[in-house]
Every structure is written in C-alpha cells, then in structure tokens.
Amino acid sequence: MSDAKRVLLEVRNLKKYFPLRKGILARVSAHVKAVDDVSFSILRGETFGLVGESGCGKTTTGRAVLRLIEPDAGEVRFDGIDLLKLGAEDLRRRRRDMQIIFQDPYASLNPRMRVGTIVGEPFAIHKTLQGSEREDRVIELLKIVGLDSGAMRRYPHEFSGGQRQRIGIARALALNPKLIVADEPVSALDVSIQAQITDLLLELQRKFGLAYLFISHSIPVVEQLSRRIGVMYLGKLVEVGTAEQICWSPKHPYTQALISAVPVPDPAIRKERIILGGDVPTPINPPSGCRFHTRCPIAEQRCRVEEPMLRTLADRQTVACHLAS
C-alpha cells in the first residue's frame, strides 16, 4: 500500500485563536493564538505523539481535529474527507470512526450514570444496538479493558482512577473507531497504574489496528507508545521525527532542553541539564521571528526577526530552526 493510501489523518495549517473580550460591550481586544499553523499526518495503525509544556496547544490541537472545538482555519482530512466541510449530520456519522480518551478519569464520567449506561451511551446516540445486544456488547467491552461484567451495575465513584480510565477506554472503543485521540490519558494516575494503561493501549492497538494521536507532557511515556513524535512550543510544531530521533538525536534547542530534563534511572549516569532562561512568552502576543528565541541559548539576530519554517533534514527529521543541521 502506498503512503498516500496509508494516511488516515492529515492536518494542514490548522489554526485556533480564542478571542479576549473587554469592556461593557465585550469587544475583542486580542486573541490567544493557541494553535497557529500546525500540520502533521497519522498513518493507519500508527501512534503519533504530541509533546510540549503545559499551555503549548496540544489539547486544543486534539480537540480541533475532532471538531469538539471549531478550528478557525486549516484542513483536517480523515480517510480522504475534509471534516471541516461536513455538516452536522455527516459529521455525527463520521464521529463513529474518531473517539477521544479524556485526561481526567474523574471528570469524564457522569457520576449519576451506571457504568453500563456510560459505556453503552454511544450505541444509544448512534442508534446501532438495542436491548440484550447492547448489554452483551457492553460486557464484552468491559472484559476487553480488564473489568468484569459486575462493573455494569456500579457507579464511577466506586472505582479507582485506573479503573475509571479503563471505563473511558471501553466507551471510546464502543463503535470500533479507526482513530483515538488520547489526551494525556495517564497523567492523573499513579506510576504503576500508568504502566498498566499504556500496556493496555498498546495491546488494543495490536488487536484492533487503532491509530492514536497521543498527547502528553511525559516524554518517556510518549517514547514508549509512539512511532513518530511532534514537539509543540507556543502553538507551533518545532520538530517532528521518529521516536528514536526525537529522544536520542533532537535537533531543535527546545527539544534538546526537554530531553535533558528527563531523569535517568541509573544514578551512575550523570546527565547535563539544559536550563532555559526567562519565562514562556504569552500566546496573546508571541515574540517576532522564532518564538523560542527569547529563551534559546544559541539564538542569533536572524532568529529574532525571521520566523523559521519546518524544513526536512537529510534523515527526514523536520525542524523549525535556522541553526539546526
């Protein structure tokens, strides 16, 4: 199969600005440039990781791809169809193939609904299964994620955080999706539980051929799950490469600083930490030129006035840096 046919999701020049209003008339005074001209693609059955500091636009990107929030500009092609041009009914049908796992397993489940109703809700919304068929499918989904059928009759507050996230995963699997946006699905969990959930996600990918857009600030977790990784800074992608390239041979100074902050479990190994100066600029009024130049240890005058575009290096790694080679 050619690469073009293997592409499941293609995002081009995606933008999402949030207006800031002030005064009695609530006039727009400025915009928060949460996602600013982001492009990437995901192949069928592939995991594309998205990493960066809090507030860099990772979650907004994931939700804009699914149109949970409406993008301001760009193109999102899923299975060859531009999602941004679909009407409400066509988008609702297409959403069977695209699901999301939310970050907070405590806030993402309705506390007034039993687990059986929560996991079976997609069937009710899309009018696919009824009665005993729906109940049998819910039991099957719970078993797939490691829960017994008795969980159907219980409420979310009766489960631990890891079990709640398994319920959220079961709900996401209900309609046999092709793509799942996993929005920091393990960040609210204990380390031991994180490992169980990541192993479950890998197992489900192998079993069902799922593609993931995996969003996280934890580079070790993203490295374990992802085939390719994109690094975001202040609303823009600054580097894209394979997991091995990003984690072991980063080209962008920001990526190098992120990697240097990852602790090494062996106390005999001493790792040089790159300390970034200054504060993260505001996305309301980002710096001119390269957005990272105010904190970059190797910035030159060109970086302050000319914005670097993503360019492909010899090893097919792409980086938005004038000085990377």
Side-chain angles (χ1 to χ4, degrees):
M1 185 183 296
S2 66
D3 284 347
K5 293 182 178 180
R6 293 175 60 207
V7 173
L8 177 65
L9 178 73
E10 188 172 15
V11 178
R12 289 289 174 262
N13 309 114
L14 187 69
K15 293 185 179 183
K16 180 60 185 177
Y17 295 176
F18 293 99
L20 293 178
R21 302 179 184 274
K22 62 187 298 185
I24 296 175
L25 299 179
R27 289 175 175 158
V28 176
S29 59
H31 287 86
V32 177
K33 298 178 180 179
V35 179
D36 196 4
D37 201 20
V38 168
S39 300
F40 62 89
S41 62
I42 302 177
L43 303 181
R44 300 176 190 277
E46 179 188 39
T47 299
F48 182 82
L50 207 53
V51 300
E53 295 169 296
S54 295
C56 71
K58 306 184 301 295
T59 292
T60 303
T61 298
R63 296 191 178 207
V65 164
L66 298 179
R67 283 186 64 182
L68 295 180
I69 55 176
E70 289 293 334
D72 294 319
E75 185 177 354
V76 180
R77 300 190 72 84
F78 180 83
D79 247 352
I81 298 172
D82 190 351
L83 298 181
L84 305 190
K85 294 181 180 178
L86 295 181
E89 185 58 32
D90 289 335
L91 179 62
R92 189 178 73 86
R93 286 195 293 268
R94 181 57 59 178
R95 280 205 170 120
R96 299 180 187 184
D97 296 327
M98 308 176 296
Q99 295 295 316
I100 186 169
I101 302 169
F102 294 99
Q103 176 180 358
D104 188 351
Y106 294 88
S108 63
L109 303 179
N110 190 329
R112 295 180 177 85
M113 294 170 63
R114 296 182 190 271
V115 167
T117 305
I118 291 171
V119 177
E121 194 172 23
F123 304 123
I125 292 172
H126 291 274
K127 300 180 175 61
T128 53
L129 295 179
Q130 301 291 333
S132 61
E133 287 185 337
R134 182 188 300 179
E135 184 174 331
D136 291 343
R137 177 59 176 158
V138 169
I139 292 173
E140 180 185 1
L141 288 166
L142 291 174
K143 288 182 178 179
I144 287 172
V145 300
L147 298 173
D148 60 48
S149 59
M152 286 184 60
R153 295 179 290 277
R154 296 159 64 188
Y155 289 93
H157 73 268
E158 300 179 66
F159 296 89
S160 67
Q163 289 173 323
R164 290 185 193 206
Q165 199 59 291
R166 289 175 185 269
I167 294 167
I169 293 171
R171 178 176 58 187
L173 290 173
L175 298 172
N176 299 314
K178 298 176 183 177
L179 171 72
I180 291 180
V181 175
D183 183 13
E184 303 209 36
V186 299
S187 63
L189 307 176
D190 294 338
V191 174
S192 60
I193 305 302
Q194 286 184 11
Q196 294 177 19
I197 297 300
T198 53
D199 287 346
L200 174 62
L201 291 174
L202 287 169
E203 179 186 344
L204 295 174
Q205 184 175 48
R206 287 191 293 267
K207 186 173 182 178
F208 299 112
L210 297 169
Y212 293 130
L213 173 57
F214 191 88
I215 298 166
S216 179
H217 61 267
S218 174
I219 290 177
V221 172
V222 172
E223 181 186 11
Q224 178 185 355
L225 283 164
S226 304
R227 176 178 174 269
R228 292 184 301 124
I229 297 174
V231 182
M232 285 192 73
Y233 181 79
L234 213 62
K236 284 185 173 289
L237 276 174
V238 297
E239 187 167 3
V240 179
T242 65
E244 183 179 2
Q245 288 172 333
I246 296 297
C247 296
W248 297 100
S249 182
K251 303 299 184 185
H252 196 282
Y254 175 63
T255 311
Q256 292 168 358
L258 286 181
I259 298 299
S260 76
V262 177
V264 178
D266 188 348
I269 299 176
R270 297 191 62 84
K271 190 175 185 181
E272 184 179 352
R273 174 77 186 275
I274 300 174
I275 305 297
L276 297 177
D279 296 324
V280 179
T282 172
I284 298 173
N285 185 25
S288 60
C290 175
R291 296 190 176 187
F292 186 59
H293 84 258
T294 58
R295 304 171 70 197
C296 181
I298 62 171
E300 297 180 350
Q301 179 58 30
R302 179 187 181 188
C303 305
R304 297 177 174 86
V305 295
E306 183 182 340
E307 181 179 353
M309 298 293 105
L310 276 172
R311 57 189 175 89
T312 304
L313 304 180
D315 57 0
R316 299 185 69 183
Q317 199 165 345
T318 57
V319 59
C321 178
H322 297 306
L323 306 177
S325 60

